[in-house]
Amino acid sequence: MKAVIPAAGLGTRFLPATKAQPKEMLPVFNKPTIQYVVEEAVASGIDDILIITGKGKRSIEDHFDRSFELEFFLKNSGKIDHLVEIEAISNMADIYYVRQKEQKGLGDAIRCAKKHVDGDPFAVLLGDTITQNSTPCTQRLLEIHEKYQSSAIAIERVPREKIERYGIIKGHEVEKSVYHIEDMVEKPSLNEAPSDLAITGRYILQPEIFDHLEQVSPGVGGEIQLTDAMRLLDDIYGYVFPGRIYDIGTTVEWLKSSLDMALEDPQVGHELREYLKKIIQ
Ligand code: G1P
């Protein structure tokens, strides 16, 4: 199985931070966001990863490349822990890149993966979304894909005021936390939303999706929407992911993700907790 990580968006919700750096490279605690995403794919057993980039995203490639100068410096100065960590980043997986040439939406970005995926089912992990759970979200989706021999996507319940930001599904539960999806709609108004179950940025897709992506017309925002193409798949299941999900494209979610991870860190967690207690009083 191969994974595709779309990371081509402009990050307009996070300007000016994203003016000259990709949102996927914004650090969450001590790592760039996209490193968590690649680590999830690897932890789920996937080591062939295609990242869909675009203009201004070169630092993503640099991050997963070797840095001989840095490695030399760390070795010579005896910073072996850092050296091991830095080398591990470039050895994690086989990472390939393709550029989306115009901002035509998530569906169009996925279309750029067609040749690399080469007719097999594949995983999609949005490059600006971090999930956390003892069993990685993508691993669980792979199990569901295997069991039902069909596409599988992660979903979560969202509060009413957030519904308009997501793709929303209509479906019925077939086993605990697994829904058979009957329909879905991208960024519906509250009235049109068929449920409060939102698509959350992790997918296993059957290769037929590429034919459907050719068929759909531009949807919400004039963009080719992945959700519109997924509606045309024969069968698709939704898994209510029980872990934490952060869409770091929004400032508040990004702050929450950094705080949560820093609070769990054995080195800085205690100090941060004390600081937060003090400023919240
Ligand atoms: C995309 C998808 C949407 C999904 C969301 C999750 O939207 O189009 O269906 O619910 O990711 O974050 P975007 O956030 O790119 O607008």
Side-chain angles (χ1 to χ4, degrees):
M1 173 84 56
K2 293 175 181 171
V4 174
I5 302 182
L10 291 176
T12 45
R13 287 178 299 172
F14 216 135
L15 282 167
T18 50
K19 186 178 172 215
Q21 65 169 334
K23 63 176 167 175
E24 296 81 9
M25 286 300 290
L26 291 172
V28 166
F29 185 39
N30 60 359
K31 284 192 270 189
T33 303
I34 196 160
Q35 189 177 330
Y36 292 93
V37 181
V38 169
E39 284 171 353
E40 178 187 330
V42 172
S44 305
I46 299 173
D47 65 359
D48 181 311
I49 297 169
L50 176 72
I51 302 183
I52 318 280
T53 65
K55 275 196 182 53
K57 302 276 184 171
R58 250 192 59 187
S59 57
I60 297 179
E61 293 181 44
D62 289 341
H63 184 71
F64 292 105
D65 197 0
R66 285 196 69 179
S67 173
F68 291 107
E69 209 179 328
L70 181 61
E71 288 170 27
F72 179 78
F73 170 79
L74 292 173
K75 198 170 178 183
N76 277 357
S77 50
K79 297 186 169 151
I80 303 304
D81 287 357
H82 283 315
L83 177 66
V84 171
E85 197 180 356
I86 292 305
E87 283 179 336
I89 296 171
S90 44
N91 290 330
M92 241 185 309
D94 293 331
I95 304 187
Y96 304 87
Y97 301 89
V98 63
R99 276 189 178 209
Q100 183 190 24
K101 293 184 185 64
E102 279 176 71
Q103 291 286 323
K104 290 203 234 157
L106 177 59
D108 180 66
I110 298 298
R111 217 155 49 174
C112 301
K114 185 175 177 180
K115 278 199 179 147
H116 187 86
V117 160
D118 198 22
D120 291 321
F122 61 103
V124 174
L125 297 86
L126 298 191
D128 62 358
T129 302
I130 296 175
T131 74
Q132 291 225 304
N133 195 40
S134 49
T135 306
C137 184
T138 298
Q139 184 182 321
R140 198 55 198 108
L141 288 180
L142 283 169
E143 288 162 10
I144 294 165
H145 156 77
E146 193 65 27
K147 177 169 175 184
Y148 293 96
Q149 292 292 307
S150 68
S151 300
I153 63 176
I155 51 179
E156 69 169 330
R157 287 199 188 280
V158 291
R160 287 165 59 83
E161 64 276 14
K162 288 192 179 168
I163 278 180
E164 295 180 24
R165 280 203 227 154
Y166 292 92
I168 302 291
I169 69 122
K170 175 184 176 201
H172 65 275
E173 205 170 16
V174 287
E175 63 173 283
K176 191 177 174 304
S177 302
V178 179
Y179 283 69
H180 183 252
I181 298 178
E182 286 138 27
D183 204 357
M184 55 190 111
V185 43
E186 181 66 16
K187 299 189 175 61
S189 65
L190 199 50
N191 298 336
E192 289 162 345
S195 74
D196 60 350
L197 288 167
I199 302 168
T200 65
R202 296 293 183 265
Y203 315 72
I204 310 292
L205 297 172
Q206 296 286 71
E208 289 73 39
I209 195 73
F210 293 111
D211 297 336
H212 302 325
L213 282 167
E214 295 305 327
Q215 283 166 28
V216 293
S217 317
V220 176
E223 298 186 334
I224 303 291
Q225 295 292 348
L226 180 60
T227 304
D228 294 343
M230 290 195 302
R231 291 183 72 216
L232 305 176
L233 287 166
D234 284 341
D235 240 353
I236 180 160
Y237 289 81
Y239 164 57
V240 187
F241 178 62
R244 279 188 268 172
I245 300 170
Y246 306 102
D247 172 2
I248 63 89
T250 68
T251 44
V252 70
E253 281 291 303
W254 170 76
L255 274 170
K256 285 185 199 167
S257 61
S258 271
L259 272 177
D260 281 351
M261 292 195 202
L263 284 168
E264 279 162 16
D265 185 78
Q267 314 259 315
V268 304
H270 175 71
E271 186 181 335
L272 181 62
R273 187 165 284 106
E274 293 306 307
Y275 172 73
L276 289 173
K277 274 191 214 155
K278 209 162 76 189
I279 59 166
I280 286 165
Q281 270 169 15

